[in-house]
């Protein structure tokens, strides 16, 4: 039931326009804003993204363990951490998405914010996303 509530909260933002460092529900979001809005809908508070911009990738992923619990693998309602276009970057760029059920996409879908389309979208969690996936997390203490 909780997984469905998380997916529903993320899907409610589909169509919201992209704006870097924004967390304005229904107005504009970036990927961390989508994550924060979704977390808030299940009673979990996430700290400012600025807290995660300073350290390297390992420290960021470890830092996410505060309000989030690391998962062994993908599942509906999980937060997925991705590193697009950062194979040679000294400081990998992080991208966050919420995995959705398999009713629309196989094996799973994902809700995320895309700069290319300029909005929150749902699309397949396709092989190109899977190969840049760095971890899966669940919201701790979600209600």
């Amino acid at each position: 039931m909780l997984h469905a509530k998380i997916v529903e909260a993320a899907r409610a933002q589909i169509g919201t326009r992209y704006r870097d460092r924004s967390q304005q529900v229904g107005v504009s979001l970036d990927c961390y804003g989508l994550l924060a809005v979704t977390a808030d809908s299940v009673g979990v508070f996430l700290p400012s993204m600025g807290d995660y911009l300073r350290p390297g990738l390992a420290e960021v992923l470890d830092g996410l363990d505060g309000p989030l619990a690391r998962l062994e693998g993908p599942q509906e309602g999980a937060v997925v951490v991705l590193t697009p276009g950062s194979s040679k970057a000294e400081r990998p760029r992080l991208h966050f998405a919420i995995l959705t059920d398999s009713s629309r996409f196989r094996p799973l879908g994902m809700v995320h914010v895309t700069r290319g389309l300029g909005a929150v979208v749902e699309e397949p969690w396709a092989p190109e996303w899977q190969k840049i996936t760095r971890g899966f997390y669940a919201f701790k203490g979600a209600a």
Side-chain angles (χ1 to χ4, degrees):
M1 188 67 137
L2 177 59
H3 299 294
K5 186 175 179 181
I6 292 167
V7 170
E8 180 182 330
R11 282 180 173 155
Q13 298 307 312
I14 291 174
T16 301
R17 71 183 179 93
Y18 165 76
R19 183 170 180 209
D20 194 34
R21 299 182 189 248
S22 180
Q23 294 183 23
Q24 297 180 337
V25 178
V27 177
S28 60
L29 298 168
D30 65 4
C31 67
Y32 192 78
L34 173 65
L35 183 63
V37 166
T38 303
D40 188 59
S41 74
V42 293
V44 175
F45 172 77
L46 296 182
S48 163
M49 184 59 197
D51 295 340
Y52 294 128
L53 292 177
R54 290 182 218 98
L57 178 62
E59 290 82 7
V60 169
L61 296 179
D62 288 343
L64 285 174
D65 284 333
L68 302 172
R70 192 177 293 269
L71 297 171
E72 292 298 317
Q75 65 184 39
E76 175 187 352
V79 173
V80 60
V81 179
L82 307 144
T83 53
S86 58
S87 61
K88 296 181 182 178
E90 187 175 308
R91 292 183 91 166
R93 182 171 55 98
L94 296 179
H95 185 60
F96 302 97
I98 304 295
L99 292 179
T100 61
D101 58 58
S102 60
S103 65
R104 298 180 187 180
F105 303 107
R106 298 275 187 239
L108 293 167
M110 66 181 209
V111 174
H112 71 119
V113 181
T114 172
R115 286 182 184 184
L117 296 175
V120 178
V121 299
E122 183 175 12
E123 64 178 294
W125 181 56
E128 60 268 18
W129 290 111
Q130 293 172 27
K131 70 182 175 185
I132 60 168
T133 294
R134 297 296 176 256
F136 306 96
Y137 298 83
F139 294 114
K140 281 185 186 174

